[in-house]
């Protein structure tokens, strides 16, 4: 059973602190409402005008926007109208909080798909209650959707991660995967053993969120599986050649050519004890050398799948020695939320994981000693890690 299914209920169902973006030209309103939200367990982001709000949205997407109407420069109505023209922002729930409460303004605000129009004289406890009630209803619909779609996926036998990992002579392979907010997402993992010799390990990340990315991940996996099998049947086991064929098909397919994806492709040949690696826009592989007692990075030069006809792919060939370990990850493991917004930090991740490597039980320690649990607690995207170790 994949480790993602073994997480404790407390961790899997841990509530996420909702993020509220407050937009108001009054520092006093921002302070008072912001403090009240923080006290009730929300994460409060503040913007003194629409320009600051747009900058904040570039860093992270909130669960709700609470905006004034009357502001210098761009007012709240124009702000809402502008958001509705941007696909990434138009579906963010929007509330007006303003002292302008005549009937015409309220009708105009609601006509812009605002979910509420709240008078600033409303007691703060009532404002918080309105926000809580709305977000609770969203969460209930979210959970209902997950249950229904997950049941459909299981019935159709659709999985974007393996149900089990094949055993490879001389190697230990395992993986850990945690979807964001329990939605199937854009990360996909597969392990193919062909001709009882070559094992191909696949790790990718479709750029997108939730079920949209999950849907396209199956398209990518279909292309990848087909390309691997066709190339091997023709005697071509080069990860670079396989990657080029995958990229060419995606580049010319109008259905998926505009959907960006990373891909790490590793081939293990236990007969020769060799590995081959090619990457497309992915993070570096982390290679722990037992002889050097050092963690190295293996960087690929390939572009994201489908972004270019050629792709610029390279191929790394190497032999793992007994005790050597290889880590493949997606960017959910190096992204985290900070007060300033999303932060990507590969160096800190390497510093944290390095102390777990070089041991006979490295992967089990990573799972059960808290490291991956902590990553799941702070995740803002799908998280996936594949572990490969050369045994004696």
């Amino acid at each position: 059973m994949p480790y993602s299914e073994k997480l404790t209920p407390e961790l899997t169902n841990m509530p996420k602190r909702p993020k509220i973006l407050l937009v108001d030209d009054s520092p006093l309103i921002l302070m008072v409402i912001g403090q009240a939200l923080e006290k009730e367990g929300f994460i409060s982001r503040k913007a003194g005008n629409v320009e600051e709000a747009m900058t904040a949205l570039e860093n992270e997407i909130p669960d709700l926007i609470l905006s004034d109407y009357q502001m210098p420069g761009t007012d709240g109505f124009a702000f809402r109208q502008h958001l509705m023209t941007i696909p990434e922002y138009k579906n963010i729930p929007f509330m007006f909080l303003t002292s302008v409460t005549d009937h015409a303004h309220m009708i105009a605000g609601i006509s812009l798909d605002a979910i509420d129009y709240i008078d600033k004289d409303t007691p703060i406890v009532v404002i918080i209650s309105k926000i809580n009630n709305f977000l609770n209803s969203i969460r209930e619909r979210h959970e209902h959707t997950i249950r229904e779609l997950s049941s459909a996926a299981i019935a159709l036998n659709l999985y974007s991660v393996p149900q089990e990992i094949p055993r490879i002579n001389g190697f230990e392979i395992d993986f850990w995967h945690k979807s964001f907010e329990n939605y199937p997402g854009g990360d996909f993992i597969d392990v193919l053993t062909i001709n009882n010799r070559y094992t191909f390990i696949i790790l990718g990340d479709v750029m997108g969120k939730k079920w949209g990315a999950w849907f396209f991940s199956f398209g990518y996996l279909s292309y990848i599986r087909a390309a691997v099998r066709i190339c091997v049947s023709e005697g071509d086991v080069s990860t670079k050649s396989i990657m080029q064929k995958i990229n060419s098909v995606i580049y010319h397919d109008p259905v998926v050519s505009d959907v960006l994806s990373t891909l790490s492709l590793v081939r293990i040949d236990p007969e020769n004890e060799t590995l081959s690696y090619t990457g497309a826009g992915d993070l570096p592989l982390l290679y722990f050398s037992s002889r050097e007692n050092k963690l190295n990075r293996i960087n690929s030069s390939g572009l994201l799948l489908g972004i270019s006809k050629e792709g610029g792919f390279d191929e790394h060939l190497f032999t793992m020695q007994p005790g050597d370990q290889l880590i493949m990850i997606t960017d959910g493991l190096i992204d985290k939320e900070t007060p300033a917004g999303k932060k990507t930090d590969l160096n800190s991740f390497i510093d944290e994981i390095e102390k777990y490597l070089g041991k006979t039980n490295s992967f089990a320690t990573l799972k059960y000693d808290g490291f991956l649990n902590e990553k799941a607690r702070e995740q803002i995207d799908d998280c996936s890690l594949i572990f490969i170790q050369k045994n004696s």
Side-chain angles (χ1 to χ4, degrees):
M1 180 184 294
Y3 182 65
S4 59
E5 297 177 11
K6 301 178 184 177
L7 292 174
T8 62
E10 291 80 10
L11 176 58
T12 304
N13 299 319
M14 183 179 302
K16 178 177 71 76
R17 293 179 64 196
K19 296 183 288 289
I20 311 296
L21 175 59
L22 296 174
V23 188
D24 201 298
D25 61 315
S26 168
L28 179 62
I29 292 293
L30 293 177
M31 181 186 70
V32 172
I33 301 295
Q35 287 179 348
L37 288 169
E38 293 283 346
K39 184 178 179 181
E40 292 298 318
F42 295 93
I43 295 173
S44 174
R45 304 288 189 237
K46 305 177 184 67
N49 52 52
V50 171
E51 290 71 24
E52 291 180 8
M54 295 303 298
T55 300
L57 289 171
E58 291 174 3
N59 294 323
E60 65 176 350
I61 302 297
D63 296 286
L64 183 143
I65 297 173
L66 189 61
S67 175
D68 189 12
Y69 162 62
Q70 287 182 316
M71 293 182 288
T74 307
D75 64 27
F77 280 5
F79 176 38
R80 177 59 179 157
Q81 288 171 332
H82 180 57
L83 292 179
M84 293 176 70
T85 67
I86 303 174
E88 295 84 355
Y89 304 153
K90 68 179 182 179
N91 292 321
I92 302 173
F94 193 102
M95 287 185 178
F96 283 106
L97 178 65
T98 178
S99 56
V100 180
T101 57
D102 67 80
H103 185 71
H105 276 92
M106 295 177 68
I107 294 299
I110 299 301
S111 71
L112 293 173
D113 290 336
I115 58 176
D116 209 339
Y117 198 105
I118 306 172
D119 186 345
K120 282 186 178 180
D121 291 332
T122 302
I124 290 180
V125 292
V126 176
I127 296 174
I128 300 299
S129 177
K130 284 176 174 283
I131 293 173
N132 264 323
N133 289 340
F134 172 76
L135 293 179
N136 284 337
S137 68
I138 290 292
R139 183 172 62 253
E140 289 171 2
R141 290 199 297 270
H142 160 96
E143 292 171 351
H144 178 71
T145 299
I146 289 175
R147 288 193 297 270
E148 287 197 338
L149 295 179
S150 294
S151 297
I154 292 170
L156 294 170
N157 198 31
L158 297 177
Y159 299 97
S160 55
V161 298
Q163 298 305 289
E164 59 183 26
I165 293 288
R167 295 183 178 181
I168 303 174
N169 186 38
F171 292 86
E172 174 192 348
I173 300 178
D174 212 329
F175 76 97
W176 178 86
H177 170 77
K178 180 70 171 63
S179 60
F180 178 55
E181 295 184 353
N182 295 326
Y183 271 119
D187 282 9
F188 56 90
I189 298 171
D190 206 358
V191 181
L192 302 174
T193 298
I194 301 177
N195 295 345
N196 294 318
R197 175 174 176 179
Y198 301 107
T199 296
F200 290 86
I201 300 172
I202 297 160
L203 176 63
D205 181 8
V206 175
M207 307 300 178
K209 293 293 184 186
K210 302 179 180 176
W211 289 94
W214 175 79
F215 171 80
F216 281 107
S217 72
F218 290 105
Y220 277 92
L221 273 173
S222 297
Y223 286 135
I224 294 164
R225 290 168 179 151
V228 169
R229 295 186 184 280
I230 290 171
C231 286
V232 173
S233 69
E234 295 174 348
D236 183 1
V237 296
S238 163
T239 53
K240 178 179 178 180
S241 295
I242 295 171
M243 187 73 80
Q244 287 172 332
K245 286 182 171 60
I246 296 167
N247 183 73
S248 178
V249 172
I250 290 173
Y251 179 81
H252 290 99
D253 187 333
V255 175
V256 296
S257 59
D258 292 332
V259 181
L260 301 179
S261 176
T262 68
L263 178 62
S264 303
L265 180 64
V266 169
R267 184 206 70 222
I268 299 178
D269 181 358
E271 187 172 304
N272 293 327
E273 298 186 336
T274 59
L275 277 78
S276 170
Y277 158 64
T278 298
D282 57 341
L283 292 170
L285 301 193
L286 305 179
Y287 188 106
F288 179 82
S289 168
S290 59
R291 180 175 60 84
E292 299 176 351
N293 192 33
K294 180 182 178 183
L295 186 62
N296 303 293
R297 305 185 194 191
I298 303 176
N299 294 282
S300 67
S301 63
L303 302 174
L304 291 166
L305 287 178
I307 203 169
S308 163
K309 185 176 182 180
E310 288 74 28
F313 306 112
D314 56 12
E315 185 169 12
H316 300 264
L317 300 170
F318 49 97
T319 301
M320 291 183 74
Q321 303 299 323
D324 287 1
Q325 297 169 339
L326 191 66
I327 307 291
M328 305 162 64
I329 62 173
T330 56
D331 60 7
L333 280 166
I334 65 170
D335 291 342
K336 61 182 179 180
E337 188 177 85
T338 71
K342 175 182 172 182
K343 181 181 179 181
T344 298
D345 192 347
L346 176 60
N347 291 330
S348 293
F349 176 85
I350 291 175
D351 290 341
E352 293 173 23
I353 199 173
E354 192 166 10
K355 63 182 177 230
Y356 293 91
L357 303 181
K359 303 176 177 64
T360 56
N361 61 342
S362 289
F363 186 70
T365 307
L366 278 169
K367 291 193 299 185
Y368 300 114
D369 195 32
F371 176 76
L372 291 176
N373 280 355
E374 287 301 320
K375 289 298 175 186
R377 285 188 177 95
E378 66 184 24
Q379 74 181 114
I380 57 175
D381 200 354
D382 302 332
C383 294
S384 298
L385 180 148
I386 299 176
F387 176 87
I388 305 170
Q389 177 172 292
K390 179 67 175 70
N391 296 326
S392 301

